[in-house]
Amino acid sequence: MIESVVKLIVPIFSLAIIMYLIRAVKGPTIPDIVLAIDCIGYDLAAFMGILSLYFKSPYLISGAIVLALWSYLLDIYVSRYLLREVRV
């Protein structure tokens, strides 16, 4: 069951990450670039969670949680930077 799910999800996540990378490179504004990088981080965290179920490894879950928190901290940092830039 989980093997067929992983075989289905790998191409979907690969295509999504390629599309996010294109948006991160071509993004016309800073929020577009940040959103694309966030989506890559959250997709990788979800993919690591699925792989942890497939490999029955609790270590991948901890890595996925750290990656998701890092993406969240990136949001906070960039939003504070953009707000500081607007006030000036």
Side-chain angles (χ1 to χ4, degrees):
M1 169 74 181
I2 195 78
E3 293 175 8
S4 61
V5 171
V6 170
K7 287 181 183 179
L8 177 70
I9 288 178
V10 168
I12 293 171
F13 274 107
S14 300
L15 180 65
I17 289 174
I18 289 170
M19 289 171 34
Y20 295 143
L21 282 174
I22 291 170
R23 175 50 56 195
V25 171
K26 290 177 61 176
T29 63
I30 292 175
D32 289 334
I33 295 169
V34 171
L35 182 64
I37 293 171
D38 283 340
C39 290
I40 290 172
Y42 291 131
D43 278 356
L44 284 176
F47 186 64
M48 286 174 66
I50 293 168
L51 283 181
S52 72
L53 291 175
Y54 178 71
F55 290 122
K56 296 180 177 82
S57 172
Y59 301 113
L60 285 173
I61 287 289
S62 62
I65 292 171
V66 169
L67 182 60
L69 289 174
W70 178 80
S71 295
Y72 181 69
L73 286 176
L74 174 72
D75 287 340
I76 293 172
Y77 177 74
V78 170
S79 65
R80 292 185 93 197
Y81 174 76
L82 290 175
L83 282 176
R84 191 175 335 139
E85 190 175 285
V86 170
R87 289 182 187 168
V88 173

